Amino acid sequence: MNERLRARLVALRNPDGGWGTTADRPSNTEATALAALALDPGVEDRDQGLEWLLGHQRPDGSWPWTEEVDASSWATSQAVLALAHVGWGTDAVARGAEWLVGEKGPSFPWWYRVREWLTPRRAAEADINLTGWPWAAGTFSWIEPTAFALLALKTVSPGRRPHRSEARIREAERMILDRECPGGGWNYGNKRVLGVDEVPYPDTTALALIATQDLPAHPARDRGLSALDRLVPTTGSGLALSLAALCRRALGLETGGLLEQALSRFDETGFLDDIRVIALTLIAGRDDAPFTLPSDD
C-alpha cells in the first residue's frame, strides 16, 4: 500500500491522539476509529487513537461525535467496530454494543399507518415496520448508519453480543433489503418517494453489501454488484473507489484495480486531506480485512 498515504494519515493526527474530519479540525469518533483501523498494530499513532476512543466513551456506552458535543452519535458504530476488531477495551465494546442494540428510531403512529394504507401514492415506499439505525438518536433509519451498526455488531463475537442482538441484526438486514432501489443498489434512505424511483449511489450500495455479506446468496447482491460496477467509473471519487474495493474484498472478489485507481486519485488530489477517505483506502488494502466478517459468523 502507498506509504505516502499512510504517512499523510499519521501527519494529520491531532495532538490529543485523535483525528478530525480534515486537517486542523477537532478530533471526532468516526475519523479516529477509521484511522486506527487503517494503521498497523503496535504503531504509536494507532494506539493513541484507540486510547482517544476509550477516553471519550459516554456513561451510557455510546460515543459522541466530538467532545465539544456531549451527545450520543451514530459514530458509536465505528468506535465499536475499531475496538472489537483490534481486541481493545472489552468492557467498552460490550457497553457500546449494548447501546447500539437499544438505539432504535421511533415507531410510526397509528394514524400515519392508516394514512399510508389509504393513500394510493405513498410518500415513501418502504416497510415502516422495519427499523435500522438513524443518524441522530430517535429519528428515521438510514442505510449508512444501519450498515455500520450491523458491521459493528457482527464484528463482536456472537458469545459477547448483548441480549436481543440477533433480533436487531435480522430486522436491520430485512430493512436494508427492503430499501433496495428498483434495478439494484441503494440510495441513502428510500427506494421510491412520491412515486418516483430513487437512484442508487456507489458509497451506500457498497456499505449495504458489506453489511449483508454474511447472508446467503440473494438476487439483491448480484443487482447491487452490477449497480456498483456501473456507478463507480462515473464518480472518480476516492470514497466510492475505496468502499467499492472494501465491498469486493468482503464478498471474496478481486478488487479489479479499484485500489490502484484510488491511489492514483490520491496522487492527484490528496483526497483533500479527508481522513475518512485516506483511512478507508488504507483499510481496503489491509491483510487483516477489518470490514470482512469471519466465514463462520
Side-chain angles (χ1 to χ4, degrees), residues 12-116:
L12 291 170
R13 183 175 62 80
N14 289 328
D16 65 0
W19 279 263
T21 303
T22 59
D24 302 321
R25 299 299 298 168
S27 297
N28 69 61
T29 300
E30 179 188 36
T32 301
L34 293 177
L37 279 172
L39 295 174
D40 295 325
V43 173
E44 181 181 358
D45 298 272
R46 178 243 204 188
D47 291 351
Q48 289 193 23
L50 294 170
E51 292 288 357
W52 188 96
L53 291 175
L54 291 174
H56 285 80
Q57 188 174 27
R58 302 180 72 247
D60 64 0
S62 69
W63 271 264
W65 180 257
T66 67
E67 62 183 359
E68 286 84 3
V69 181
D70 185 24
S72 302
S73 78
W74 75 282
T76 297
S77 297
Q78 285 102 326
V80 170
L81 171 61
L83 293 168
H85 179 77
V86 304
W88 277 47
T90 302
D91 178 65
V93 169
R95 292 191 295 118
E98 187 71 44
W99 183 86
L100 284 174
V101 170
E103 172 56 28
K104 193 172 184 178
S107 59
F108 288 88
W110 66 268
W111 57 263
Y112 180 89
R113 296 170 185 268
V114 172
R115 188 187 71 178
E116 287 290 284

Side-chain angles (χ1 to χ4, degrees), residues 169-257:
I169 288 171
R170 300 287 90 82
E171 181 179 356
E173 289 170 339
R174 294 196 302 274
M175 188 217 86
I176 286 181
L177 296 178
D178 178 69
R179 304 278 183 90
E180 181 194 8
C181 292
W186 283 264
N187 194 279
Y188 291 99
N190 288 307
K191 56 187 174 185
R192 188 177 291 112
V193 176
L194 294 176
V196 178
D197 291 348
E198 292 294 303
V199 297
Y201 292 101
D203 49 344
T204 44
T205 295
L207 284 168
L209 290 171
I210 290 169
T212 56
Q213 64 185 271
D214 55 339
L215 292 182
H218 50 78
R221 178 176 298 160
D222 293 335
R223 291 191 295 265
L225 281 169
S226 296
L228 198 60
D229 290 343
R230 182 179 71 251
L231 293 166
V232 171
T234 68
T235 66
S237 80
L239 179 63
L241 290 165
S242 61
L243 284 174
L246 281 164
C247 172
R248 294 186 69 84
R249 286 201 66 186
L251 294 175
L253 304 172
E254 295 293 329
T255 59

Side-chain angles (χ1 to χ4, degrees), residues 251-264:
L251 294 175
L253 304 172
E254 295 293 329
T255 59
L258 291 168
L259 281 179
E260 290 76 11
Q261 294 176 54
L263 291 172
S264 177

